[in-house]
Amino acid sequence: MQKLGLTGQSKQPHASDDQMKGISAVLMDGDEIFIDNNAIHAKSRVELGVRFVGSLEEVPNPRRIVGLWISLKRFENGMGFNGVQAFEMWIDSEAQLGYKKLADHVNAMDKAVKGKADLSLLSPEQIEKFAAFLRGLRPDLWENASPAFREAFSAA
């Protein structure tokens, strides 16, 4: 990524590209769950070719796609899942229109990087499906997960 040639410097700490290297996106589209880290830059396979509009009412036949921003951290016992935040978007692939609250996605990514966990956008069934996927994906990361991560999935 190119740096902007700005003349001033901010004294406020902010997320750098390095902080975003430890985050991943896991999406659920219907019954399919898959990792798509292009979602970090709003270019997941479900977003490609989609024009995002200002309100859900502008999307003719929206389907809800939910996802997780997940961060990793090295703990005493090794690398483990750390933060997790749910997010959603609504897509009509045929009309090539979609709706999402970009600010919510960015804030959720930031919270996941900081190790916070919130799955309140998901149903218990969705939480269970994500839990099964993550357990099977890398059991070591699941076993070494942070207490907050474990608590968020406690219903699963």
Side-chain angles (χ1 to χ4, degrees):
M1 176 178 273
Q2 289 183 329
K3 292 188 178 192
L4 296 176
L6 301 175
T7 57
Q9 291 184 342
S10 172
K11 294 183 180 176
Q12 297 293 326
H14 59 278
S16 69
D17 288 338
D18 287 342
Q19 286 176 305
M20 298 315 266
K21 286 180 184 173
I23 195 162
S24 293
V26 180
L27 301 177
M28 181 186 294
D29 184 5
D31 289 330
E32 184 184 12
I33 299 177
F34 54 95
I35 297 170
D36 193 335
N37 287 331
N38 290 325
I40 295 166
H41 301 289
K43 295 183 184 204
S44 68
R45 72 182 195 205
V46 297
E47 295 170 285
L48 290 179
V50 172
R51 182 173 62 89
F52 285 89
V53 293
S55 74
L56 181 56
E57 290 74 32
E58 296 176 64
V59 183
N61 295 302
R63 76 180 188 277
R64 183 174 183 245
I65 298 170
V66 294
L68 302 178
W69 300 119
I70 299 177
S71 65
L72 301 176
K73 183 178 177 180
R74 184 164 304 285
F75 296 101
E76 248 180 61
N77 296 333
M79 191 66 76
F81 292 123
N82 187 33
V84 60
Q85 295 286 315
F87 64 91
E88 66 183 353
M89 59 183 126
W90 300 85
I91 305 281
D92 181 338
S93 298
E94 189 174 312
Q96 296 183 314
L97 292 174
Y99 172 73
K100 64 181 176 181
K101 293 181 183 175
L102 185 57
D104 289 352
H105 281 229
V106 172
N107 289 334
M109 289 171 72
D110 184 56
K111 288 177 182 177
V113 167
K114 291 178 179 171
K116 298 182 187 218
D118 182 1
L119 301 179
S120 61
L121 288 176
L122 304 178
S123 70
E125 295 80 19
Q126 290 169 324
I127 292 171
E128 177 57 44
K129 287 179 182 179
F130 274 122
F133 177 82
L134 294 171
R135 277 189 213 109
L137 180 70
R138 289 279 308 271
D140 59 318
L141 297 177
W142 185 267
E143 289 301 318
N144 294 329
S146 71
F149 186 93
R150 287 180 178 281
E151 178 64 27
F153 281 97
S154 64

